[in-house]
Amino acid sequence: MTEVSATDLVVLKDVNKHFGALHVLQDIDLTIARGEVVVVIGPSGSGKSTLCRAINRLETIDSGHITIDDKPLPAEGKELARLRADVGMVFQSFNLFAHRTVLENVTLGQIKVRKTDKKAAEEKARTLLDRVGVGNQADKYPAQLSGGQQQRVAIARALAMDPKVMLFDEPTSALDPEMINEVLEVMQQLARDGMTMIVVTHEMGFARSAANRVVFMADGRIVEQATPDQFFSNPRSDRAKDFLSKILHH
Amino acid sequence: MNVLLDNFALFREGFLGTVELTALSGAIALVLGVVIAAFRVSPVPPLRYFGAAWVTLLRNTPLTLLFFIAVLVLPRLGMNTWSFFQLAVLALSCYTSAFICEAVRSGINTVSLGQAEAARSLGMTFTQTLRLIILPQATRTVLPPIGSLLIALAKNSAIAGGFSVFELFSVQKTLSEQGYNIFLIFLWVAIAYLIITFFISAVFRFLETRLAVAR
């Protein structure tokens, strides 16, 4: 992981955030290179979701700097909206627009934000829906789809904006076990295609197979960063050893 | 029976007066109410303060007092070209907008936060998020209370009759001065109000069933 700075896409420097008395992000320094897949793992309450949401400013930070493609994260307003269009986000609870069809979910951002014309947007949406394997569900409403299908639509919706980086905030945590793989496969394909991804997850299998780097967080700090091989076979910190021993022995 | 037939033109004029007052004030109140509700949930603090002040002031002032202000005070502050009818519409729509704002805001709060987060993540602005994602989903929840508010508006418009606007309630004044049986006058006035309020209920019932199917 010795990248030159020109390839750095997302840079967090000295980031701090509090929720009341709770110090959820403590002096976070993290750099993500173009095309890199970084998986953030750690016990619940460790601040990993907050970290992920801070990158497109769904959570504000108290101090520090976040830059995306060398541009500092702007404050609320048009400027921020423009930046968010370049950052894809996939939520734990899918958050598909409930009053719009699957197809409209994927075209809406293109039409209203990117100002793409309707026909081109629909064409692209259908291609993306096919790619994530839900092309035949285009005219249904989100509530008519299974969780796994909804999450794949959510991924297509984010991809439709041609994002520079994709953020995944526990994308499989709300899914039934038999649906987790269909979502992970889509994500794995994305990773192979060279998408820059930041993935908060509890799926260790995905971390092993798709990640370039594993970031381990605990109590609001980044405790350890390593390649998946190094991290899973030979974790350096006691905190990580403890965490792994709890989740890997069932 | 004679009360109605003998004075049909008068009743008709009064009925149309009430319909006009209600329709015009209702339309303005709906637009204003949605705009003020948007102010109240906006990320811009001055807009939020303005929205809160608007609702607090108008919701907590008796409507009759607002009419006195509109009819007696505003003309002295330069609005002297406004007719009584226009001033009455102003008072009614501002008053009702405060309540509609709160109904819309309660609807906005029923839409899960994730919907707004997803819209913002796609790069939608605050206005786009509200207009394309939140308000359409809030509409269904908001329809029943707004129906009630418009019915209340139709009845509140009677106050305008006390301020030189000719509407249903003024019909009663004119006729009882002419010595007609007061019970019959009230009966027909009440029926005329019922026609208007039943019409509003029917429109909203229709909208509710239509929106229920649309999902």
Side-chain angles (χ1 to χ4, degrees):
Chain A
M1 292 305 118
T2 46
E3 310 278 352
V4 281
S5 69
T7 68
D8 291 345
L9 188 55
V10 180
V11 179
L12 291 89
K13 244 196 166 65
D14 287 330
V15 171
N16 278 281
K17 178 178 178 69
H18 298 79
F19 280 130
L22 185 67
H23 199 168
V24 274
L25 296 179
Q26 305 185 27
D27 306 318
I28 300 288
D29 285 310
L30 183 64
T31 303
I32 290 117
R34 227 172 279 275
E36 197 181 7
V37 177
V38 172
V39 168
V40 183
I41 61 175
S44 30
S46 59
K48 51 195 195 309
S49 272
T50 311
L51 173 77
C52 185
R53 290 162 56 84
I55 293 173
N56 70 353
R57 211 173 180 277
L58 285 179
E59 300 285 356
T60 54
I61 55 174
D62 299 338
S63 67
H65 303 277
I66 300 177
T67 59
I68 293 175
D69 217 359
D70 287 332
K71 283 187 283 266
L73 216 53
E76 206 69 45
K78 289 239 167 20
E79 199 75 18
L80 179 64
R82 211 163 303 138
L83 179 130
R84 278 180 177 147
D86 290 336
V87 179
M89 177 97 189
V90 175
F91 300 87
Q92 179 176 350
S93 48
F94 329 134
N95 294 342
L96 291 178
F97 304 133
H99 63 307
R100 298 284 190 145
T101 64
V102 164
L103 186 69
E104 287 169 338
N105 264 277
V106 186
T107 56
L108 204 59
Q110 300 181 65
I111 295 170
K112 299 294 177 183
V113 178
R114 295 282 192 226
K115 312 292 178 199
T116 316
D117 76 59
K118 194 166 174 241
K119 201 149 176 236
E122 278 184 9
E123 216 163 286
K124 185 173 186 182
R126 287 193 192 278
T127 314
L128 285 167
L129 288 172
D130 281 338
R131 195 165 130 198
V132 299
V134 286
N136 52 349
Q137 315 283 341
D139 298 319
K140 290 192 180 164
Y141 283 89
Q144 296 169 290
L145 269 55
S146 73
Q149 290 171 325
Q150 288 192 49
Q151 193 61 298
R152 285 183 283 153
V153 174
I155 294 174
R157 174 175 71 178
L159 287 176
M161 306 299 288
D162 295 319
K164 292 174 181 164
V165 51
M166 288 274 284
L167 308 173
F168 293 84
D169 184 8
E170 304 205 20
T172 56
S173 299
L175 294 175
D176 292 339
E178 75 264 30
M179 290 168 187
I180 291 177
N181 275 335
E182 63 191 52
V183 172
L184 289 181
E185 271 161 29
V186 169
M187 289 168 61
Q188 236 141 9
Q189 187 58 48
L190 262 182
R192 278 196 294 272
D193 293 347
M195 175 60 77
T196 310
M197 294 163 66
I198 301 167
V199 184
V200 174
T201 188
H202 294 293
E203 293 300 325
M204 298 305 144
F206 177 81
R208 249 188 234 275
S209 62
N212 300 117
R213 177 161 45 130
V214 173
V215 170
F216 176 71
M217 281 186 80
D219 307 319
R221 292 179 189 280
I222 293 179
V223 178
E224 188 167 344
Q225 302 189 45
T227 61
D229 267 355
Q230 267 177 342
F231 179 78
F232 288 109
S233 54
N234 194 13
R236 281 163 297 168
S237 61
D238 292 339
R239 196 72 183 76
K241 281 177 196 162
D242 180 51
F243 177 74
L244 287 174
S245 73
K246 277 177 187 148
I247 57 164
L248 294 180
H249 301 302
H250 273 299
Chain B
M1 200 62 191
N2 285 342
V3 189
L4 180 67
L5 293 180
D6 294 354
N7 304 284
F8 194 74
L10 197 71
F11 267 103
R12 200 172 142 263
E13 198 192 336
F15 181 78
L16 290 179
T18 296
V19 168
E20 267 177 68
L21 271 177
T22 307
L24 211 57
S25 310
I28 297 172
L30 277 174
V31 174
L32 259 179
V34 172
V35 171
I36 303 289
F39 282 7
R40 293 211 66 178
V41 296
S42 135
V44 186
L47 291 181
R48 282 206 301 272
Y49 302 147
F50 177 83
W54 180 274
V55 169
T56 310
L57 217 63
L58 289 164
R59 194 171 58 168
N60 297 317
T61 312
L63 181 55
T64 317
L65 191 66
L66 284 180
F67 263 98
F68 272 114
I69 294 170
V71 171
L72 300 177
V73 179
L74 292 185
R76 291 190 191 187
L77 297 176
M79 294 171 68
N80 41 23
T81 56
W82 288 51
S83 67
F84 283 125
F85 178 81
Q86 287 167 327
L87 290 168
V89 167
L90 184 71
L92 280 169
S93 54
C94 287
Y95 177 77
T96 309
S97 77
F99 293 90
I100 290 192
C101 162
E102 290 302 273
V104 171
R105 200 164 63 93
S106 79
I108 290 173
N109 289 338
T110 61
V111 180
S112 82
L113 192 62
Q115 295 283 310
E117 287 188 344
R120 285 157 68 205
S121 301
L122 284 181
M124 287 189 196
T125 59
F126 170 76
T127 329
Q128 283 178 323
T129 303
L130 206 57
R131 190 166 51 84
L132 298 167
I133 307 301
I134 308 299
L135 286 179
Q137 295 188 64
T139 311
R140 230 165 42 136
T141 340
V142 161
L143 278 177
I146 286 189
S148 303
L149 289 172
L150 291 185
I151 287 172
L153 166 67
K155 297 183 293 181
N156 285 339
S157 72
I159 296 177
F163 292 87
S164 310
V165 176
F166 196 79
E167 46 73 74
L168 271 175
F169 202 66
S170 348
V171 173
Q172 168 270 133
K173 262 195 309 190
T174 315
L175 291 183
S176 46
E177 277 160 18
Q178 290 174 18
Y180 283 98
N181 181 339
I182 196 151
F183 291 111
L184 284 176
I185 303 172
F186 274 119
L187 179 70
W188 288 114
V189 169
I191 288 173
Y193 272 112
L194 280 178
I195 293 172
I196 297 172
T197 51
F198 275 19
F199 176 74
I200 297 174
S201 309
V203 167
F204 274 80
R205 217 174 10 248
F206 170 74
L207 288 175
E208 270 177 60
T209 46
R210 239 190 67 143
L211 280 179
V213 180
R215 257 231 231 160

